[in-house]
Amino acid sequence: MAEENWVLTVTAQTPTNIAVIKYWGKRDENLILPINDSISVTLDPDHLCTTTSVAVSPAFTHDRMWLNGKEVSLSGGRYQNCLRELRSRASDLEDETKGIKITKKDWEKLHFHVVSFNNFPTAAGLASSAAGLACLVFSLAKLMNVKDDHSKLSAIARQGSGSACRSLYGGFVKWIMGKEEDGSDSIAVQLADEKHWEDLVIIIAVVSSRQKETSSTSGMRDTVETSALIEHRAKEVVPKRIIKMEEAIKNRDFPTFTRLACADSNQFHAVCLDTLPPIFYMNDTSHRIISCVEKWNRFEGTPQVAYTFDAGPNAVLISHNRKAATLLLQRLLFFFPPNSDADLNSYVIGDKTILQDAGIQNMSDIEALPPPPETKDNTSTQKFRGDVSYFICTKPGRGPVVVTDGTRSLINPETGLPK
Amino acid sequence: MAEENWVLTVTAQTPTNIAVIKYWGKRDENLILPINDSISVTLDPDHLCTTTSVAVSPAFTHDRMWLNGKEVSLSGGRYQNCLRELRSRASDLEDETKGIKITKKDWEKLHFHVVSFNNFPTAAGLASSAAGLACLVFSLAKLMNVKDDHSKLSAIARQGSGSACRSLYGGFVKWIMGKEEDGSDSIAVQLADEKHWEDLVIIIAVVSSRQKETSSTSGMRDTVETSALIEHRAKEVVPKRIIKMEEAIKNRDFPTFTRLACADSNQFHAVCLDTLPPIFYMNDTSHRIISCVEKWNRFEGTPQVAYTFDAGPNAVLISHNRKAATLLLQRLLFFFPPNSDADLNSYVIGDKTILQDAGIQNMSDIEALPPPPETKDNTSTQKFRGDVSYFICTKPGRGPVVVTDGTRSLINPETGLPK
């Protein structure tokens, strides 16, 4: 380390993911080792991702982090586990243009600045911690010249936030629970990349919630300790579903994919309900979205849309193709129109071309939507205005990437502080 | 049978019951044989019961039934199963004052009129079919001089509506699933009468619902066919709970009673959610009532109230004693005040003395209720006005009785038609 005033930065972008076979329950709280395998779909980072810039400088006196513009503490055990693992895997680094040389040993003493932003509202229950931790690990690994592959990095990200390990890949990802006590084989692997099943279109309904939600960390601990059903789920039900889901993804078998994804989402919420005290993540709006999809799927005879819900009331709706997504969006807007003071531009975000396909150009087009043909009686055409905050139209997407364009760094290269 | 214009009547009153270890799933659809034992509390017929008058006359040309003032068909298989069983067990009957003599064989050809009323709103999801079928069987058995005991009658009522078998006794009742293929050992037995645990006080919150509910008959069929958890529940979980619940009732062990009742209610709703398509009986209001009770029980350190929910959103809340019931009612009225146009007299019905103990004499007393001490932050004192339709204050109660006062008969003894 020649000069003492240099700042070296790396910026990366990492997607969120949504599990279609759920992770719920740890066998090791510290290492974050799960009680069953899980499978997820990576979401398009254009619509849902974390961007993180990391910097290292001999001038930094301690590790610091800023999340969405606010400084947060890095002292938590989970962050520290990730940083310790990464430091131990760092390699020599030489930047000839800047005249910087960092040896493997130097990394033990150097400190980092981390600046992270989500391109979607936080606290909307959209797995921001998964994308965030994955991005932290990925960007620091690049900065520190860690030579391990994504699978090894996934095991590090896992120790920050379990489902973060699945955000190290695009497309369809399996988190293998592993058998080792040290967690070394509890890693994520890619089942298929984002090009494999390009037809799929995803619509997320962000549901207004009046309830304070149970954190997934404490929720899954309570489930493992008190549910009389969770062990049967983890040992008997999920292993069979994992095999079938891998097969369904491989064969792009949408009916089987839908059956498994819906059943597993419902069973995850069932074991939450079987917890003492019971955990409710879905609310009446979530239930109504499920009923709408179930009714339509039955009416069509073959599934058009799969639904899955994480630890919150938001619905993630995976459509077979663009046409089904268009028909789905019409149904969603019919049953869940926005409040009269809403702005269409902020009520449907992400890939707005689906909105165009659905023939919706303004708020009055929403009001003019006819009841879907599968609704016959009056009670089933009741509208629930304002019960959905907004919709995000997106699709399966790619894994983490390094952002080489320096202007998109979140860190000032002179000061090493957030821009 | 001397004259041809006589009418012979019997009137009976039969309670409803609420399961604390739930019945969900049949192994035989026709005989209504369950996949597990269940245990219930009989509710005080003063507040929730069915009154049924039955009549026989040689002038009747076919079996007819009137329910809550409307004629309904008796041709359904379940009614017919009950009638066939009862006719086969009828005995000779002689009424000397009226000069009537009916032989065992005559019953095969005679027809009945049945008139039935519930003393509580129908379609409120308060197990009206259980009380109704039990009352039909009990009153017809009396009329036909059936000599079998209540246990045998319970097996007949079971064929009309599964949980009806538990309404043949007061207090605490166990429905033994039985092993025989013909259902002869699938009967109800009394665990303890209504005097055994007199301290208990029950408050039912009748919850407004905007959803059309899945019938329990089709719901439990779907669960048995599609849930990956129901078999584990029926074979592994419930048998252990039944033993513990019998013990808790015997010892009047309220903490254990509460833990088991709440866990089993939640697990029943969990397997409903694990059904394809998923069944939602509880709604956001049900969830909020659970949260209120769970929070209070934890705050007190020892359970004050057990909750249980049947196939609908209504909460049945079993308080340890009168003091706990008073404190519960205050909490319920604080969180779920009536709409401003409501009338206190119809908002809290049943045993109104609990309302007096709670110091509530008019609507302004409800508005003046302070937040419960276990609520600290603002979000948890949010009120949900109008989300409960009304409350019923009641207690465990007695089994079926014959009503000897002829003026209370629902049938005109001259015409054999409803009064």
Side-chain angles (χ1 to χ4, degrees):
Chain A
M1 293 187 283
E3 295 177 59
E4 292 302 304
N5 61 350
W6 51 263
V7 176
L8 206 61
T9 75
V10 164
T11 298
Q13 194 194 54
T14 302
T16 61
N17 71 79
I18 177 78
V20 289
I21 300 292
K22 301 292 187 189
Y23 152 53
W24 195 252
K26 299 182 181 81
R27 63 181 202 274
D28 185 309
E29 289 276 338
N30 184 42
L31 291 170
I32 311 192
L33 301 177
I35 59 173
N36 57 251
D37 294 349
S38 54
I39 292 177
S40 60
V41 181
T42 299
L43 301 181
D44 187 348
D46 282 355
H47 308 128
L48 291 156
C49 77
T50 297
T51 303
T52 299
S53 294
V54 289
V56 65
S57 167
F60 295 169
T61 55
H62 58 288
D63 297 332
R64 296 176 73 181
M65 179 168 174
W66 292 262
L67 177 61
N68 296 315
K70 257 181 89 172
E71 182 156 11
V72 295
S73 167
L74 267 174
S75 65
R78 294 181 169 189
Y79 283 124
Q80 289 302 314
N81 286 350
C82 289
L83 291 175
R84 193 186 55 246
E85 291 269 342
L86 287 165
R87 280 189 169 106
S88 76
R89 280 170 179 76
S91 303
D92 294 351
L93 182 74
E94 193 164 355
D95 188 322
E96 289 187 358
T97 54
K98 293 190 180 171
I100 302 167
K101 197 170 172 181
I102 308 173
T103 67
K104 184 169 164 54
K105 231 187 147 199
D106 291 333
W107 289 112
E108 298 288 332
K109 290 164 284 171
L110 286 165
H111 291 286
F112 306 106
H113 284 182
V114 179
V115 182
S116 203
F117 260 98
N118 297 322
N119 71 344
F120 56 94
T122 40
L126 293 170
S128 54
S129 73
L133 261 296
C135 209
L136 176 83
V137 168
F138 181 78
S139 54
L140 280 174
K142 293 293 166 191
L143 180 71
M144 295 161 86
N145 199 18
V146 172
K147 300 243 164 78
D148 295 289
D149 63 9
H150 281 207
S151 231
K152 181 64 218 170
L153 293 185
S154 79
I156 300 174
R158 189 203 73 227
Q159 296 175 57
S161 170
S163 55
C165 72
R166 295 186 313 234
S167 274
L168 266 300
Y169 295 97
F172 296 85
V173 184
K174 177 179 172 183
W175 174 9
I176 300 166
M177 62 179 285
K179 288 175 185 167
E180 300 297 332
E181 271 192 36
D182 66 358
S184 55
D185 59 349
S186 188
I187 58 170
V189 295
Q190 189 178 52
L191 296 176
D193 71 16
E194 62 275 20
K195 304 281 174 200
H196 169 69
W197 202 347
E198 281 198 297
D199 282 353
L200 299 183
V201 175
I202 298 172
I203 299 180
I204 301 170
V206 178
V207 170
S208 328
S209 171
R210 297 198 288 181
Q211 309 273 110
K212 210 162 91 185
E213 278 150 29
T214 311
S215 85
S216 58
T217 299
S218 73
M220 67 177 78
R221 191 190 302 129
D222 289 349
T223 301
V224 169
E225 282 173 8
T226 67
S227 166
L229 303 175
I230 184 69
E231 193 182 334
H232 184 74
R233 162 173 166 74
K235 290 197 178 159
E236 304 295 330
V237 182
V238 174
K240 295 184 189 100
R241 283 187 182 162
I242 288 280
I243 294 167
K244 288 180 188 161
M245 182 57 98
E246 286 193 57
E247 199 68 12
I249 290 168
K250 190 178 145 205
N251 300 328
R252 298 183 201 90
D253 172 357
F254 193 74
T256 304
F257 176 86
T258 298
R259 193 170 47 78
L260 293 168
C262 297
D264 206 67
S265 173
N266 291 330
Q267 186 169 91
F268 150 52
H269 292 278
V271 296
C272 286
L273 189 45
D274 189 53
T275 300
L276 278 181
I279 305 164
F280 314 112
Y281 286 125
M282 295 199 288
N283 63 19
D284 286 350
T285 307
S286 316
H287 293 173
R288 288 185 186 113
I289 292 172
I290 289 179
S291 299
C292 161
V293 170
E294 288 280 0
K295 194 171 216 171
W296 182 33
N297 280 346
R298 272 198 307 284
F299 178 77
E300 297 289 347
T302 175
Q304 306 298 305
V305 176
Y307 56 81
T308 188
F309 294 73
D310 267 358
N314 301 332
V316 177
L317 303 163
I318 306 174
S319 306
H320 193 183
N321 51 39
R322 203 172 161 88
K323 191 181 161 211
T326 304
L327 294 169
L328 171 65
L329 187 59
Q330 287 171 336
R331 281 163 172 82
L332 292 169
L333 291 171
F334 173 82
F335 288 112
F336 305 98
N339 284 320
S340 54
D341 59 348
D343 163 30
L344 182 58
N345 210 37
S346 55
Y347 196 60
V348 180
I349 65 173
D351 176 8
K352 287 176 197 283
T353 63
I354 297 166
L355 199 58
Q356 287 159 27
D357 285 6
I360 310 281
Q361 274 157 10
N362 50 50
M363 299 297 261
S364 61
D365 291 336
I366 294 179
E367 301 304 323
L369 283 167
E374 67 270 19
T375 60
K376 281 165 212 158
D377 48 77
N378 270 337
T379 56
S380 59
T381 59
Q382 197 182 343
K383 293 181 180 228
F384 299 93
R385 191 177 299 278
D387 287 357
V388 168
S389 298
Y390 57 94
F391 296 101
I392 307 170
C393 297
T394 184
K395 62 181 199 300
R398 65 159 191 270
V401 289
V402 171
V403 177
T404 49
D405 174 3
T407 64
R408 288 176 60 198
S409 173
L410 304 172
I411 290 181
N412 181 325
E414 308 296 322
T415 63
L417 291 169
K419 274 182 180 171
Chain B
M1 292 187 281
E3 296 176 61
E4 291 302 303
N5 61 350
W6 52 262
V7 176
L8 206 60
T9 74
V10 165
T11 299
Q13 192 194 55
T14 302
T16 62
N17 71 79
I18 176 79
V20 289
I21 300 291
K22 300 292 187 191
Y23 152 55
W24 195 253
K26 300 183 182 78
R27 63 180 202 275
D28 185 309
E29 290 276 338
N30 183 43
L31 291 170
I32 310 193
L33 301 177
I35 58 172
N36 56 253
D37 294 349
S38 54
I39 292 177
S40 61
V41 181
T42 299
L43 302 181
D44 188 348
D46 283 355
H47 307 129
L48 291 156
C49 77
T50 296
T51 303
T52 299
S53 294
V54 289
V56 65
S57 167
F60 295 169
T61 55
H62 57 289
D63 298 330
R64 296 178 73 182
M65 179 167 173
W66 292 261
L67 177 60
N68 295 315
K70 258 181 89 172
E71 182 155 12
V72 295
S73 167
L74 267 174
S75 65
R78 295 181 168 189
Y79 283 124
Q80 289 301 315
N81 285 351
C82 290
L83 291 176
R84 194 187 55 246
E85 291 269 341
L86 286 165
R87 281 189 169 105
S88 75
R89 281 169 180 76
S91 304
D92 293 351
L93 181 75
E94 194 165 355
D95 187 324
E96 289 187 358
T97 54
K98 293 189 180 173
I100 303 167
K101 197 171 173 181
I102 308 172
T103 67
K104 185 171 164 50
K105 232 186 146 199
D106 292 332
W107 290 112
E108 299 288 334
K109 291 164 281 171
L110 286 165
H111 291 286
F112 306 107
H113 284 182
V114 179
V115 182
S116 202
F117 261 99
N118 298 323
N119 70 343
F120 56 95
T122 40
L126 293 169
S128 54
S129 72
L133 262 297
C135 209
L136 175 82
V137 168
F138 181 78
S139 54
L140 280 173
K142 293 293 165 192
L143 180 71
M144 297 161 84
N145 199 18
V146 172
K147 300 244 164 77
D148 295 289
D149 62 10
H150 280 207
S151 231
K152 183 63 219 171
L153 293 185
S154 79
I156 300 173
R158 188 203 74 227
Q159 296 174 57
S161 169
S163 55
C165 72
R166 296 185 312 234
S167 274
L168 266 298
Y169 295 98
F172 295 85
V173 183
K174 177 181 173 182
W175 175 8
I176 300 166
M177 62 179 285
K179 288 175 185 167
E180 300 298 332
E181 271 193 35
D182 66 359
S184 55
D185 59 349
S186 188
I187 57 170
V189 295
Q190 188 178 53
L191 297 176
D193 71 15
E194 61 275 20
K195 303 282 173 200
H196 169 70
W197 201 348
E198 281 198 297
D199 281 353
L200 299 182
V201 176
I202 298 172
I203 299 179
I204 300 170
V206 178
V207 170
S208 328
S209 172
R210 297 197 287 179
Q211 309 273 110
K212 209 163 92 185
E213 277 150 31
T214 311
S215 85
S216 57
T217 299
S218 73
M220 67 177 79
R221 190 188 306 126
D222 290 349
T223 301
V224 169
E225 282 173 9
T226 66
S227 166
L229 302 175
I230 184 69
E231 192 181 336
H232 184 75
R233 162 173 166 75
K235 290 198 177 157
E236 304 295 330
V237 181
V238 174
K240 295 183 188 102
R241 283 187 181 161
I242 288 279
I243 294 167
K244 287 181 188 161
M245 182 58 98
E246 286 194 58
E247 198 69 13
I249 290 167
K250 189 178 147 204
N251 301 328
R252 300 183 201 88
D253 172 358
F254 193 74
T256 304
F257 176 86
T258 298
R259 192 170 48 75
L260 294 167
C262 297
D264 206 67
S265 173
N266 291 330
Q267 187 169 91
F268 151 51
H269 292 278
V271 297
C272 287
L273 188 45
D274 190 54
T275 301
L276 275 181
I279 305 164
F280 314 112
Y281 286 124
M282 295 200 289
N283 63 18
D284 286 349
T285 307
S286 316
H287 293 173
R288 288 184 186 113
I289 293 172
I290 290 180
S291 298
C292 162
V293 170
E294 287 280 0
K295 194 172 217 172
W296 181 34
N297 281 346
R298 273 198 306 284
F299 178 77
E300 296 289 346
T302 175
Q304 306 297 304
V305 175
Y307 56 80
T308 189
F309 293 72
D310 267 359
N314 301 332
V316 177
L317 303 163
I318 307 173
S319 307
H320 194 184
N321 51 39
R322 202 171 161 88
K323 192 182 161 210
T326 305
L327 294 167
L328 171 65
L329 188 58
Q330 287 172 336
R331 281 164 172 80
L332 291 170
L333 291 172
F334 174 82
F335 288 112
F336 305 98
N339 285 320
S340 54
D341 58 349
D343 163 30
L344 182 58
N345 210 39
S346 56
Y347 196 61
V348 180
I349 65 173
D351 176 7
K352 287 177 197 280
T353 63
I354 296 165
L355 199 58
Q356 288 159 26
D357 285 6
I360 310 282
Q361 274 156 12
N362 50 50
M363 298 297 260
S364 60
D365 291 335
I366 293 179
E367 301 304 324
L369 283 168
E374 66 271 19
T375 60
K376 281 166 210 157
D377 48 77
N378 270 338
T379 56
S380 60
T381 59
Q382 196 182 342
K383 293 180 180 227
F384 300 93
R385 190 177 301 277
D387 286 357
V388 168
S389 298
Y390 56 94
F391 296 99
I392 306 170
C393 298
T394 185
K395 61 181 199 299
R398 65 157 192 271
V401 289
V402 171
V403 178
T404 49
D405 174 4
T407 65
R408 290 175 59 199
S409 173
L410 304 171
I411 291 182
N412 181 323
E414 307 297 322
T415 63
L417 292 168
K419 274 183 181 170

